[in-house]
Structure formats: C-alpha cells, structure tokens
Amino acid sequence: MKRLKKSITIATVALSMSLAAGFAAATSEATLAKVPADAVGLTNPVEADEDAIKMVMKKAYKKKCKKCHGSKGNGKGPGAKGMEPPPPDWTAGSPATDGQLYWLTMNGSKDTEMKGWKAGIAKKGKEISEEEGWIMVHIIRGFEK
Ligand code: HEC
C-alpha cells in the first residue's frame, strides 16, 4: 500500500513537471479556470473559411492583437515586454478548448493586461463581433506549428 502510494506520488510529480515544461508559455490553469463552466464546451459555430480568416487577420488581429500576441502568435509582440503574466505562446498549440479561447477573447482575463473585446467591455469602436471572435479561435489554432 505504502509502495503504491509512493509510486503514485512519483508519477504525479513527473506528470506535473512534464506539463509545466511542455506548457511553460501556454495558457495557465488559473487563466482557464476563469472561464464559466457553460462556456468551456462551446464548439466553434463558424466555419474555417480561408477568406474570412484572411479578412479578420488583416482587419482585427493585426490591428488589435498583434502588438501583444505577435504576428506569429508567439506572445512576443512589442507591447508584451515585461508583461506579467505574459501573452501565451500559441505556436506550441494551446491547452484551451475552443470555448475557452473564445470566452477569454471576448471577456478578457481578469487582473491581467488581456482585456475583453466584446461590446460593452472594449472601447467603443474597438469591439469585435461574435463572428470575428470565433474566427480569432481559428486564427489562434492556425499559429500552431
Ligand atoms: C495589451 C496586450 C494584449 C492585447 C492587445 C491582446 N491580448 Fe490577448 N492576452 C494578453 C495577455 C497578457 C494574456 C495572458 C493572460 C493570462 O495569462 O491570463 C492574453 C491572453 C489571451 C487569451 C487567453 C487564452 C490563452 O491562450 O492564453 C486569448 C484567447 C487572447 N489573449 C486573445 C486575444 C485576441 C484575439 C486579441 C485581439 C482581439 C488580444 N488577445 C489582444 C495580452 C493582450
């Protein structure tokens, strides 16, 4: 029994170490936990249409997200210098569900520099539509190398 307990502890430590190493610059558990339960499992209702993605990339991502998230989505935009927590590195993929990426895009991550972009939170004229929010999820997934 004692032995089993010990090996479970070792396995747990090894797993959390590999997770920490693998996702060092990925979205933290604390950030993901900010998303309400009913938003986590939402599936992307907007198709990954190449033209729409290009348009949102040009019209919204480059103008509103790139300065922090970087043109390649690696979190190294000029505006991200010294930011704590820093923007995530999406080139290694994201542990977030589509619903979590969408909710955090629209509502922001409380107590960080990531402000929400939906109407009522973003500055007037800067907000993005629900459709653009879901297209952002396709854009974020597209950064994965
Ligand atoms: C002023 C800098 C800044 C801008 C501009 C910005 N972000 Fe962020 N973003 C951040 C930071 C910092 C985090 C990390 C927050 C955390 O760790 O909780 C973040 C986190 C996120 C997340 C949370 C999920 C994840 O993978 O960590 C999403 C999704 C996201 N940003 C999307 C966007 C989109 C889309 C735009 C443009 C419409 C945008 N951001 C604009 C700084 C910014």
Side-chain angles (χ1 to χ4, degrees):
M1 190 59 197
K2 208 168 170 195
R3 212 164 148 173
L4 178 66
K5 217 169 164 184
K6 196 169 171 192
S7 55
I8 290 174
T9 312
I10 291 170
T12 312
V13 170
L15 179 69
S16 44
M17 274 167 66
S18 62
L19 283 178
F23 294 134
T27 318
S28 72
E29 282 300 322
T31 298
L32 297 181
K34 294 175 185 178
V35 180
D38 60 356
V40 175
L42 292 178
T43 50
N44 198 332
V46 181
E47 245 176 82
D49 175 82
E50 219 178 291
D51 291 336
I53 289 174
K54 266 193 199 147
M55 170 82 99
V56 172
M57 188 73 189
K58 194 170 156 205
K59 224 184 81 184
Y61 186 85
K62 287 191 173 155
K63 291 191 176 150
K64 299 172 181 171
C65 321
K66 189 179 102 175
K67 69 170 178 188
C68 295
H69 289 279
S71 54
K72 298 196 169 90
N74 60 6
K76 297 202 172 98
K81 272 214 176 93
M83 215 171 251
E84 196 44 52
D89 179 2
W90 288 318
T91 62
S94 172
T97 63
D98 284 1
Q100 284 169 323
L101 291 176
Y102 174 76
W103 192 91
L104 289 162
T105 295
M106 301 312 266
N107 297 278
S109 176
K110 199 168 177 283
D111 301 325
T112 76
E113 295 301 317
M114 175 61 197
K115 310 299 176 202
W117 293 91
K118 73 177 180 190
I121 297 187
K123 278 203 198 103
K124 254 213 147 95
K126 298 262 184 194
E127 59 273 78
I128 65 174
S129 69
E130 288 180 18
E131 189 180 5
E132 287 171 324
W134 282 113
I135 292 173
M136 286 295 182
V137 175
H138 289 305
I139 290 174
I140 292 168
R141 297 286 183 215
F143 286 130
E144 182 170 355
K145 282 196 210 136

